[in-house]
Amino acid sequence: QVQLVESGGGSVQAGESLRLSCAASDYTYRVYCFGWFRQTSGKEREAIARFVRGGTIIYADSVKGRFTMTADNAKTTLYLQMNNLNPEDSAMYYCAAATMCSELGTPATSWGQGTQVTVSS
């Protein structure tokens, strides 16, 4: 099973930027599909950036134009560049992987431990 470790969270002011990283390992024998989710207290985990079949990236409307997901060529590290952050972006951010893109967010998903992002006004 793939192992995911997030980093890069922190506390910033509104309008500032952060870049999250997700190191993936132990998936040599399988092809995985990746994405970023976030969750705030009392709410369901939501997908904010995810690969879909064919390699296209879909962004949640709330982050479109501000967040960009990329991966290194070896697909061992996933990034989430977050620009123009606002307090509504405060959440625990999770890296996710599944053997099929359609499985992202389902019980078949592998999750990292999460990294906290806090944006103050």
Side-chain angles (χ1 to χ4, degrees):
Q1 186 174 359
V2 62
Q3 303 296 316
L4 304 170
V5 179
E6 301 97 333
S7 62
S11 297
V12 296
Q13 297 286 322
E16 294 184 342
S17 299
L18 278 175
R19 188 175 82 155
L20 306 184
S21 299
C22 172
S25 61
D26 296 339
Y27 70 110
T28 305
Y29 302 106
R30 310 187 75 172
V31 176
Y32 276 83
C33 192
F34 296 91
W36 286 97
F37 288 67
R38 69 184 181 187
Q39 187 173 25
T40 56
S41 179
K43 294 187 177 181
E44 291 188 2
R45 197 169 294 188
E46 65 168 333
I48 55 172
R50 56 190 292 168
F51 284 103
V52 295
R53 188 176 180 180
T56 302
I57 300 172
I58 291 181
Y59 295 94
D61 288 343
S62 58
V63 306
K64 201 173 294 182
R66 300 186 298 122
F67 290 14
T68 303
M69 181 172 72
T70 57
D72 66 0
N73 288 338
K75 298 294 191 295
T76 58
T77 306
L78 188 71
Y79 302 98
L80 184 68
Q81 178 66 42
M82 307 186 295
N83 297 328
N84 193 22
L85 286 160
N86 59 62
E88 289 70 39
D89 295 316
S90 296
M92 184 70 80
Y93 283 72
Y94 296 91
C95 180
T99 53
M100 297 175 61
C101 291
S102 59
E103 292 179 342
L104 279 174
T106 72
T109 302
S110 296
W111 301 98
Q113 83 287 352
T115 185
Q116 180 68 40
V117 171
T118 302
V119 185
S120 57
S121 58

